[in-house]
Amino acid sequence: MQELAPGGATERARAIYDYGDTAIFASSADPRFHMLLYVPPAAAEGRKVDLLVAVHGTGRTSALEFRDGFAEFGLYNDCAILCPIFPVNVRGDGARSGYKYIREGDIRYDEVVLAMVAEMAEKYGQDWSQFAMFGYSGGGHFTHRFAILHPEKLWAACIGAPGSVTLLDPDRDWWVGIRDLAEKFGRPFDAAALAKVPVQMVVGGLDLETWEITHKPGAAYYMEGANDAGATRPERLRSLQKSFEAAGVRVTFDEVPGVSHDRLKCLGPVKAFLTCTLKEMRA
């Protein structure tokens, strides 16, 4: 991955571009997709660090905001931050939301993330066979669906204000439910594994606009039951909480008072949750 450089220039370049706030890297597995990281000093010193994958929303700019917003957390908790970037229009059709539902045409976004994590674990000499994941808005879509598919990969899942939710309903097909999960993704639902994952759900108490999250007939992701979990993001997230808890998952629910759909104002509770979870895990 390193360009040739004489002597100490290579090490200087690594210090500038590969540690701290990194450059943007293309995924070797699929260069259509990119990532940027915060890598704390502990990793540069050869020590073990944990990993948080932070997933952007529809605008994609939050990838940079999350990298920077979690950097201090990463510094003081020996935790790297990896922010994948899934571009709009990746298949040339103008689509914005494919990643939220995990599968888009021949793309499996869960596998894209797993390949990124494996590549960066090798690059930095880390064991990231398990990691935490946070996502807000579109990233909240992705995070809870990734947790349903790959609970064994997560030491925590923080689900922020998704516009739509997949309930653990065995009588409805994906994405509203999970009846055909094995058929669609080759993975059966593992309730016991999901129950082991510490889960946080976070949303602003005033996150009440519905213009972007109401599914209408004829829309790309409309299906029967698409709006049944509730009208607003808090309502839908409460439905997801009940569904997860019914499956044995312990959920910490944080409704941030006075906050609308503002990702940065929801980061405080997420950092607190992850700090406590790391402390318990390391103990």
Side-chain angles (χ1 to χ4, degrees):
M1 234 174 170
Q2 297 301 315
E3 298 176 4
L4 294 176
T10 298
E11 290 307 311
R12 184 173 181 182
R14 280 177 57 82
I16 294 172
Y17 299 116
D18 292 1
Y19 289 92
D21 298 339
T22 73
I24 296 175
F25 302 113
S27 166
S28 296
D30 190 336
R32 291 175 296 178
F33 303 108
H34 306 138
M35 68 194 112
L36 65 162
L37 300 91
Y38 171 77
V39 183
E45 296 163 4
R47 291 190 278 133
K48 180 185 181 300
V49 300
D50 288 290
L51 177 68
L52 167 65
V53 175
V55 186
H56 61 66
T58 309
R60 275 69 177 175
T61 56
S62 57
L64 181 58
E65 293 172 347
F66 290 161
R67 193 274 302 273
D68 294 348
F70 281 106
E72 186 177 32
F73 162 82
L75 172 64
Y76 290 109
N77 289 281
D78 289 346
C79 188
I81 316 300
L82 188 159
C83 299
I85 303 172
F86 307 131
V88 174
N89 195 43
V90 72
R91 299 178 70 236
D93 56 5
R96 294 187 297 268
S97 296
Y99 79 97
K100 302 174 188 177
Y101 298 89
I102 305 294
R103 188 171 201 157
E104 182 180 22
D106 62 347
I107 301 169
R108 282 278 302 272
Y109 287 95
D110 57 334
E111 294 176 353
V112 171
V113 167
L114 290 171
M116 288 178 174
V117 169
E119 179 180 353
M120 291 297 109
E122 182 177 2
K123 176 180 175 69
Y124 293 104
Q126 297 290 329
D127 175 8
W128 288 337
S129 52
Q130 281 196 317
F131 49 90
M133 183 175 286
F134 161 72
Y136 188 87
S137 195
H141 276 255
F142 182 87
T143 297
H144 82 277
R145 295 186 178 113
F146 185 94
I148 290 169
L149 281 167
H150 300 281
E152 78 288 349
K153 302 300 295 184
L154 298 174
W155 55 259
C158 301
I159 302 158
S164 298
V165 295
T166 295
L167 303 182
L168 304 179
D169 186 342
D171 298 321
R172 292 186 174 184
D173 286 340
W174 187 269
W175 59 265
V176 170
I178 60 170
R179 175 168 53 193
D180 58 346
L181 195 70
E183 177 186 335
K184 271 207 165 53
F185 297 102
R187 298 181 62 85
F189 175 57
D190 189 341
L194 184 60
K196 296 176 183 177
V197 180
V199 172
Q200 179 195 39
M201 299 182 185
V202 60
V203 66
L206 298 181
D207 196 348
L208 305 176
E209 290 192 3
T210 62
W211 66 273
E212 194 175 20
I213 67 172
T214 301
H215 294 273
K216 297 179 180 178
Y221 293 98
Y222 179 81
M223 59 186 297
E224 185 178 348
N227 300 303
D228 287 359
T232 67
R233 293 176 197 266
E235 289 174 3
R236 292 180 178 186
L237 201 55
R238 286 288 186 188
S239 295
L240 186 66
Q241 176 192 15
K242 292 175 184 175
S243 180
F244 271 39
E245 288 179 341
V249 181
R250 186 182 67 181
V251 177
T252 298
F253 197 100
D254 287 304
E255 187 170 303
V256 186
V259 171
S260 58
H261 198 57
D262 189 328
R263 52 189 176 263
L264 297 181
K265 290 182 179 178
C266 289
L267 293 190
V270 176
K271 294 175 192 177
F273 176 82
L274 290 172
T275 298
C276 289
T277 303
L278 269 177
K279 191 175 294 184
E280 292 174 6
M281 182 175 73
R282 290 168 176 172

